[in-house]
Every structure is written in structure tokens, then in C-alpha cells.
Amino acid sequence: MAQRTILTIGDETLTKKCRPITDFNEHLATLLDDMTETLIASGGVGLAAPQIGVLRRVVVLLDINKDPEEVIELINPEVIEHNTLEETVEGCLSVPGKYGYVMRPTWAKIRAQDRHGNWFEREGEGIVAQCFCHETEHLDGHLFTEKVTEYVEVEQE
């Protein structure tokens, strides 16, 4: 496993649409492992492959609603259902130090494949639902900054 460099706003890779994963092999396993290590080291909650320069439909995120936290691997994910949107503060590893209000659901269901190609569905609440939406938008070349209605100051721990 290796930590990868997280690209930041201004890098054109972050604006490109990602290709689906069709081969579930050692390269994918290495990518998932590296993404997990990078995410944990970053202190973030979610990471999409384009954020590390890989234009593939791959996401890892932490389900912080679980104790202990659980890493969720999503291959070719698609948000298939969500509830009404509410205003929430959001940030992004690719936009360091910037936070803003965006509209996100408090509950969402996602359909994705695991590292072996098996399809599954998963529901998430709160920040997990928010991450489902935020990270899948990365896969289509979008940043949360496109949705911000107002930027805010957030104190760092």
C-alpha cells in the first residue's frame, strides 16, 4: 500500500468524467488499498479516484456512523434513491481550507460493486449520505464548490 498525492482545485483531472471499472483485478485491489491508506492519512471522510489522478469510477469512504468506523469501497457507484435535501456545511480534500453550505440529503441509497465485481446496495444517513453524493459527483468531474450557496469559516481541530 502507498499514500497517493491528493490533487487540488485547478488540476484539470478533477473536471473530467471517469470511466467505469470493467476489470476486477490486482490493479484495482492496489488502487483501493492505496486510496484507503491515503484517505485515512488525510483525516478526510471520502476519496474518489480522480482526486488522486485516476480517471476511474472508484470511491472509498468512512462510515463514521459505525463503531468502529468502517471503510466502504464503491466501484461504479450510483446514487439510486435519496430523501429531501437539507442545507449542510461541506468541505473537500481537493479544496483544502474551504467550506460552504450545500444542499444534500440526510439519507441516501447507493448501488455499487465491490472489489470482486459483486453488485450491492447500501443505505447511509447523515455524513455518509452526504459522502455518497459528494464522491459520486467527483466521478463526473464536479466539485462541491459548484453547489456552494455561501462559504463559511470552520475551525480545525
Side-chain angles (χ1 to χ4, degrees), residues 77-133:
E78 177 184 1
V79 176
I80 56 172
E81 195 176 340
H82 63 79
N83 66 355
T84 56
L85 304 179
E86 294 185 5
E87 190 173 63
T88 186
V89 174
E90 190 164 294
C92 179
L93 294 172
S94 291
V95 189
K98 294 279 188 187
Y99 301 89
Y101 287 107
V102 296
M103 299 299 288
R104 294 286 187 202
T106 57
W107 172 89
K109 183 188 286 188
I110 200 158
R111 182 172 188 264
Q113 289 171 281
D114 66 18
R115 66 171 53 211
H116 307 290
N118 302 308
W119 286 98
F120 67 94
E121 292 181 1
R122 182 154 182 160
E123 297 179 28
E125 293 183 351
I127 197 162
V128 175
Q130 188 177 344
C131 279
F132 285 169
C133 297

Side-chain angles (χ1 to χ4, degrees), residues 13-151:
T13 303
L14 296 171
T15 66
K16 297 184 185 290
K17 187 169 179 145
C18 295
R19 297 184 311 270
I21 292 289
T22 55
D23 295 325
F24 296 82
N25 55 29
E26 284 298 314
H27 293 291
L28 175 61
T30 298
L31 175 62
L32 287 163
D33 293 343
D34 289 356
M35 286 178 66
T36 298
E37 183 172 328
T38 303
L39 175 63
I40 291 168
S42 75
V45 183
L47 183 69
Q51 292 181 273
I52 60 165
V54 178
L55 291 173
R56 294 301 183 139
R57 298 189 77 78
V58 179
V59 166
V60 295
L61 59 93
L62 292 177
D63 185 340
I64 64 169
N65 297 331
K66 302 272 185 188
D67 188 20
E69 294 176 346
E70 177 185 357
V71 175
I72 304 171
E73 298 176 344
L74 304 170
I75 315 302
N76 301 320
E78 177 184 1
V79 176
I80 56 172
E81 195 176 340
H82 63 79
N83 66 355
T84 56
L85 304 179
E86 294 185 5
E87 190 173 63
T88 186
V89 174
E90 190 164 294
C92 179
L93 294 172
S94 291
V95 189
K98 294 279 188 187
Y99 301 89
Y101 287 107
V102 296
M103 299 299 288
R104 294 286 187 202
T106 57
W107 172 89
K109 183 188 286 188
I110 200 158
R111 182 172 188 264
Q113 289 171 281
D114 66 18
R115 66 171 53 211
H116 307 290
N118 302 308
W119 286 98
F120 67 94
E121 292 181 1
R122 182 154 182 160
E123 297 179 28
E125 293 183 351
I127 197 162
V128 175
Q130 188 177 344
C131 279
F132 285 169
C133 297
H134 177 111
E135 300 305 333
T136 56
E137 287 172 359
H138 271 300
L139 303 179
D140 291 322
H142 299 288
L143 291 172
F144 89 104
T145 53
E146 297 170 37
K147 293 181 171 275
V148 171
T149 57
E150 178 185 353
Y151 287 97

